Amino acid sequence: MTLEELEEAVARGDVDTVVLAIADMQGRLQGKRLTARHFLDDVVAHGAEGCNYLLAVDVDMNTVGGYAMSSWSRGYGDFVMKPDFSTLRPVPWQPGTAMLMADIHWEDGSDVVASPRQVLRRQLARLEERGWKAMAGTELEFIVFRDSYEQAWHKAYRDLEPANLYNVDYSLLGTARVEPLIRRIRNAMMGAGMQVENSKGECNFGQHEINFHYADALRAADDHVIYKNGAKEIAAEEGMAITYMAKYDEREGNSCHIHLSLGDDDGNVFAADEGLFKSFVAGQLACLQELTLFLAPNINSYKRYVEGSFAPTAVAWGRDNRTCALRVVGHGSSLRMENRVPGADVNPYLALSALIAAGLHGIDEGLELEDAFEGNAYESDKPRVPHTLYQAHDRFRDSAVARDAFGQEVVDHYLNNAQIELAAHEAAVTDWERFRGFERL
């Protein structure tokens, strides 16, 4: 939707609300619902304000310490949400509504560098300096429950009813049970300007996936967060609930495999320059452990990494080998790498930033790519994916690649976010502990 088309829709009375959204550290949409008239008359020219604590809170929106950009001592002031009009689109699942993403700036016009969207913009600028662009696609898995979000909360998220009661991976009969919801999500995202390719069932009970055509990396990340939020909103309207937890239970976790290639005016750079492609992939292997924090940001993220679960444990690459952390697929113009480390809880802006930074490190250092791994990487002696947030935090803290690519301010910001998550984990008393010790000890 163009700005002119929005103005015409508002004049006709078809649109009365405009959602202006940012992506927070968790990759969630935050922002405001504006009257369409106010948006056109004021926000288009001047932007809107939002409290800067939106990038300095924990997952429960509690104010926490340790952030340089926002604190009680600094008064929790505002930053400016500047609309990105290239992201303007209708919201088919909300009557009379359009939405768009915003970039975040300080009052003096400077960038809020720790904003996930800005972190990715910086890496895309590094590619642009070389005449390249990143093309990406993300594959989000999720679990559908027949309980509403409110019912799930009152049940303490236990004994929920999954939408399928058996493995429906590729099953057309099983997915038909949930097709009214999945079809609505597919069509709604198409109506919001996304290019949906397909949906399919997955292995865990009630687990599904909807896939989109690849796009330039910034658009892919924007579509990812809008789709994720929209799917939850649609499920809620249907009296159901969706979770994107990386590991909801002991069965298969929710992954978010990320496909990435580089392009220029002549097409796929990877296909045109084999040496560059190999160095790019070698950079992924060299940097994966130290940049895992941007791929697996939460305590729960690391529960996915279980042998034989299709979630990777080995830092290895292979050609069409799903036991490796990095899978190379496609030929010619479709040649690309797939990073299988992220779960569905990933922030796509940060994950794509990590992949680009790692690849550029490999190219700049002229790294040699080891031979493709063949066989079962779970049983290999390859280095391992960090298996706790503690490990990922320490590797990120010590990473020269992270500091060079993202800047110290960004590194410190996301280290603090991890420390907040770890502190909450250390302080928690869980149901598991009660079940284990209440009567038995």
Side-chain angles (χ1 to χ4, degrees), residues 80-93:
V80 178
M81 301 162 61
K82 183 179 179 181
D84 180 347
F85 299 109
S86 70
T87 67
L88 184 61
R89 67 190 72 206
V91 180
W93 59 94

Side-chain angles (χ1 to χ4, degrees), residues 13 62 189 265 283 310 322 400 416:
N62 297 310
M189 298 309 142
D265 292 339
F310 288 101
R322 286 182 168 88
N416 190 68

Side-chain angles (χ1 to χ4, degrees), residues 272-307:
D273 190 333
E274 183 180 8
L276 181 146
F277 173 62
K278 288 184 175 180
S279 290
F280 192 92
V281 176
Q284 306 300 318
L285 295 176
C287 300
L288 192 149
Q289 291 175 316
E290 60 197 89
L291 299 183
T292 293
L293 185 65
F294 271 10
L295 307 177
N298 303 305
I299 290 286
N300 181 256
S301 308
Y302 297 83
K303 302 292 181 69
R304 276 185 62 242
Y305 306 134
V306 177
E307 293 185 4

Side-chain angles (χ1 to χ4, degrees), residues 131-133 135 214 260-274 276-277 329-337:
W132 301 333
K133 58 184 177 181
M135 308 301 293
Y214 69 87
L260 182 70
S261 64
L262 298 185
D264 60 15
D265 292 339
D266 296 322
N268 188 322
V269 173
F270 288 166
D273 190 333
E274 183 180 8
L276 181 146
F277 173 62
V329 290
H331 304 278
S333 62
S334 68
L335 180 64
R336 63 198 185 275
M337 59 158 241

Side-chain angles (χ1 to χ4, degrees), residues 400-420:
V401 172
R403 289 192 298 274
D404 291 344
F406 310 129
Q408 191 65 50
E409 181 178 348
V410 172
V411 169
D412 289 344
H413 192 89
Y414 286 95
L415 283 175
N416 190 68
N417 183 54
Q419 289 159 11
I420 296 299

Side-chain angles (χ1 to χ4, degrees), residues 146-319:
R146 298 197 181 277
D147 309 80
S148 69
Y149 283 106
E150 291 75 19
Q151 290 168 336
W153 188 89
H154 285 296
K155 287 183 173 183
Y157 305 101
R158 288 180 172 273
D159 301 320
L160 305 184
E161 181 185 355
N164 301 98
L165 300 178
Y166 60 95
N167 182 332
V168 296
D169 193 21
Y170 289 96
S171 168
L172 294 179
L173 176 63
T175 53
R177 305 278 187 87
V178 198
E179 176 62 1
L181 173 65
I182 303 300
R183 177 176 180 268
R184 186 181 170 196
I185 295 173
R186 286 197 313 266
N187 290 341
M189 298 309 142
M190 289 285 284
M194 303 179 202
Q195 192 171 347
V196 181
E197 290 188 344
N198 61 70
S199 61
K200 64 178 288 293
E202 288 291 342
C203 299
N204 203 340
F205 298 161
Q207 190 176 46
H208 295 262
E209 176 181 281
I210 299 175
N211 291 314
F212 297 78
H213 195 65
Y214 69 87
D216 71 84
L218 185 61
R219 170 154 189 173
D222 288 339
D223 286 354
H224 175 120
V225 295
I226 293 169
Y227 152 57
K228 187 175 180 181
N229 193 78
K232 286 184 174 183
E233 291 180 351
I234 293 168
E237 291 176 5
E238 298 289 337
M240 304 173 79
I242 283 174
T243 185
Y244 291 94
M245 285 181 64
K247 190 74 168 176
Y248 171 73
D249 57 18
E250 288 74 22
R251 291 181 58 86
E252 294 81 5
N254 288 322
S255 68
C256 178
H257 304 146
I258 298 180
H259 294 250
L260 182 70
S261 64
L262 298 185
D264 60 15
D265 292 339
D266 296 322
N268 188 322
V269 173
F270 288 166
D273 190 333
E274 183 180 8
L276 181 146
F277 173 62
K278 288 184 175 180
S279 290
F280 192 92
V281 176
Q284 306 300 318
L285 295 176
C287 300
L288 192 149
Q289 291 175 316
E290 60 197 89
L291 299 183
T292 293
L293 185 65
F294 271 10
L295 307 177
N298 303 305
I299 290 286
N300 181 256
S301 308
Y302 297 83
K303 302 292 181 69
R304 276 185 62 242
Y305 306 134
V306 177
E307 293 185 4
S309 68
F310 288 101
T313 60
V315 181
W317 81 280
R319 296 190 183 278

Side-chain angles (χ1 to χ4, degrees), residues 21-25 27-30 55 101 104 115-116 225 349:
I22 67 169
D24 68 7
M25 288 190 291
R28 304 174 301 187
L29 293 187
Q30 309 285 5
L55 290 178
M101 299 297 296
I104 311 173
S115 164
V225 295
Y349 302 95

